[in-house]
Amino acid sequence: MDIGELKKQSDISYDIAVAKRNALEKAHARLVVVYNEHIFRADAETINLVKTLGEAHTSPLYVLDTNNNPVEISEPEEFLKTLVARNQEAISSYHQMSKTFAKRGD
Amino acid sequence: MKKGVLLFCFDTPDSQYHKILEKCVALIKKNLKLEVTVVTNFETYKHLKPLGFVNYKFIEPELGNKKNGLEWRNVDRHMAYELSPYDVTLVMDIDYFPFTDNLRQFLDTRYDFLISKNAYDMTNRNSFDTRRFSMIDMVWATVFVFRKGKKAKRVFDMIKYAKQYYTYFMDMYRVRDRRFRNDYAFAIALEQANGMIAYDTLPITLPTLPPDCKVLKMDDEGIAWQYNDQVNYTKDQDVHVLNKEVANV
């Protein structure tokens, strides 16, 4: 491999790393959701918690928001639906973007 | 309940901030769909192109602060509480471009004052993660939300106090940067007003393009920039641009 080709590959790797980081941060930003006047992250932990509590406990549920304040959730199913919708919106956008990384890295 | 965005914009002899404002207002209207009030002076206002329905509040900016030897008119943000016509206000730097509606939802919380402590470098160099010498966390006064009431008023009163005795507080908290920065004035005020313990924050990390990145293109979906000989872009993601040449893109 000549030095020109090496530089080219290095530049492509840098571009992919920057694009991946930004796409991931974009997804993280989109995961933040306001529900019932409180802020939550629609991440795996919150979704699993709400689903588990919903199955094992009668409503209302009590969960912590991103500032560790307790929140009463009177309609867990609606809350779970909101979390899942936001999670999949963010992650599917990241998935679409990741396809372009793979293309550029070929 | 009235909700809206408050922006501060003053041209300087070196930077045409009104051109940045024009881009920012267009994105607020497209993505955040909120009423906008601009705090400015007549000198800046007369250069603005028509922006549709926007409220204006005219003040004379406090002068004297400098950044890299150039005039920096950033000192008036402590007046946001008095100047805002809204019950719940989103205050943004005009170089924070909202390419999404992500910020809109934060006006629907029950919090009195929310601000972010985190930013990240969009060029992946982690240039904002430098060693911390100060005794308090810095906040990013680039974006914050407040709801008018006793608690928010106390925070703003404290910001005014921190501004008045800024040198004292800088020494006390061992802040090395000697310029007046809203980021530190707000951090000090929040620390003091909350009894020197943790306070509620916005759980967002502000995507920030460092000043050595040249913005090549910007449209209503995203932004492309150059760092060294590398060109990158992002779309549908909010961006805080620190290079003021974005005014001329």
Side-chain angles (χ1 to χ4, degrees), chain B residues 52-223:
Chain B
F53 180 72
V54 170
N55 305 304
Y56 292 95
K57 295 231 172 177
F58 294 98
I59 65 167
E60 277 311 310
E62 185 179 329
L63 304 178
N65 203 30
K66 286 190 186 298
K67 187 180 188 181
N68 302 325
L70 303 175
E71 203 172 313
W72 192 22
R73 297 177 178 174
N74 69 325
V75 187
D76 306 294
R77 195 155 307 188
H78 65 93
M79 295 193 290
Y81 190 95
E82 292 81 10
L83 292 168
S84 173
Y86 310 115
D87 300 309
V88 186
T89 307
L90 167 65
V91 182
M92 285 168 40
D93 279 5
I94 53 169
D95 53 11
Y96 189 90
F97 298 109
F99 290 103
T100 72
D101 64 355
N102 287 351
L103 294 178
R104 173 71 183 77
Q105 60 183 346
F106 298 124
L107 282 87
D108 300 327
T109 77
R110 63 172 57 185
Y111 287 99
D112 297 293
F113 195 99
L114 286 169
I115 195 163
S116 176
K117 284 188 175 182
N118 302 306
Y120 86 95
D121 177 348
M122 296 182 78
T123 64
N124 220 355
R125 288 176 288 156
N126 300 325
S127 57
F128 305 117
D129 301 335
T130 53
R131 182 180 170 192
R132 200 186 85 174
F133 294 96
S134 68
M135 292 167 64
I136 50 168
D137 290 344
M138 194 184 85
V139 298
W140 287 82
T142 308
V143 171
F144 60 93
V145 179
F146 68 90
R147 173 190 301 271
K148 280 192 177 173
K150 279 183 189 168
K151 196 171 171 190
K153 178 75 167 64
R154 259 203 311 273
V155 171
F156 277 97
D157 287 347
M158 194 63 221
I159 292 166
K160 286 179 171 54
Y161 190 78
K163 177 178 171 288
Q164 189 178 352
Y165 299 104
Y166 193 69
T167 311
Y168 167 78
F169 281 113
M170 293 292 98
D171 289 340
M172 188 171 92
Y173 285 116
R174 299 184 198 156
V175 178
R176 290 189 164 187
D177 194 340
R178 307 313 287 181
R179 303 165 297 181
F180 178 83
R181 284 185 66 175
N182 287 305
D183 304 324
Y184 281 118
F186 277 60
I188 290 162
L190 285 161
E191 170 95 355
Q192 294 276 327
N194 286 286
M196 274 66 83
I197 54 168
Y199 45 87
D200 297 327
T201 56
L202 278 175
I204 57 172
T205 303
L206 305 180
T208 305
L209 267 184
D212 57 2
C213 294
K214 183 182 177 189
V215 175
L216 300 176
K217 192 181 172 196
M218 182 175 160
D219 59 24
D220 63 354
E221 288 192 329
I223 202 162

Side-chain angles (χ1 to χ4, degrees), chain B residues 10-65:
Chain B
F10 303 102
D11 281 351
T12 67
D14 309 288
S15 296
Q16 295 182 302
Y17 283 97
H18 72 274
K19 288 187 176 174
I20 303 176
L21 174 76
E22 289 167 359
K23 297 175 197 296
C24 184
V25 168
L27 288 169
I28 291 169
K29 291 191 168 199
K30 176 176 180 272
N31 297 316
L32 300 181
K33 297 180 172 60
L34 288 164
E35 191 177 305
V36 178
T37 295
V38 176
V39 180
T40 187
N41 58 353
F42 191 70
E43 273 305 298
T44 306
Y45 174 77
K46 71 183 184 188
H47 292 116
L48 278 170
K49 69 180 186 188
L51 297 176
F53 180 72
V54 170
N55 305 304
Y56 292 95
K57 295 231 172 177
F58 294 98
I59 65 167
E60 277 311 310
E62 185 179 329
L63 304 178
N65 203 30

Side-chain angles (χ1 to χ4, degrees), chain A residues 1-12:
Chain A
M1 183 184 283
D2 65 35
I3 195 71
E5 182 61 21
L6 193 65
K7 171 79 168 67
K8 193 177 148 195
Q9 288 305 321
S10 174
D11 286 350
I12 290 170

Side-chain angles (χ1 to χ4, degrees), chain A residues 7 11 14-15 17-18 21-22 25-26 29-30 32-34 37-39 41 65-67 69 86, chain B residues 101-102 105-106 108-111 120 122-124 126 200-201 203 225 227 229-230 232 235-237:
Chain A
K7 171 79 168 67
D11 286 350
Y14 172 82
D15 285 346
V18 167
R21 170 83 192 271
N22 286 320
E25 291 289 350
K26 179 175 143 181
R30 197 63 190 161
V32 177
V33 60
V34 171
E37 298 183 326
H38 285 267
I39 308 172
R41 274 197 189 84
D65 72 1
T66 56
N67 284 303
N69 292 307
R86 184 59 77 89
Chain B
D101 64 355
N102 287 351
Q105 60 183 346
F106 298 124
D108 300 327
T109 77
R110 63 172 57 185
Y111 287 99
Y120 86 95
M122 296 182 78
T123 64
N124 220 355
N126 300 325
D200 297 327
T201 56
W225 69 90
Y227 163 65
D229 58 349
Q230 307 280 120
N232 294 93
K235 60 181 265 194
D236 302 328
Q237 179 180 28

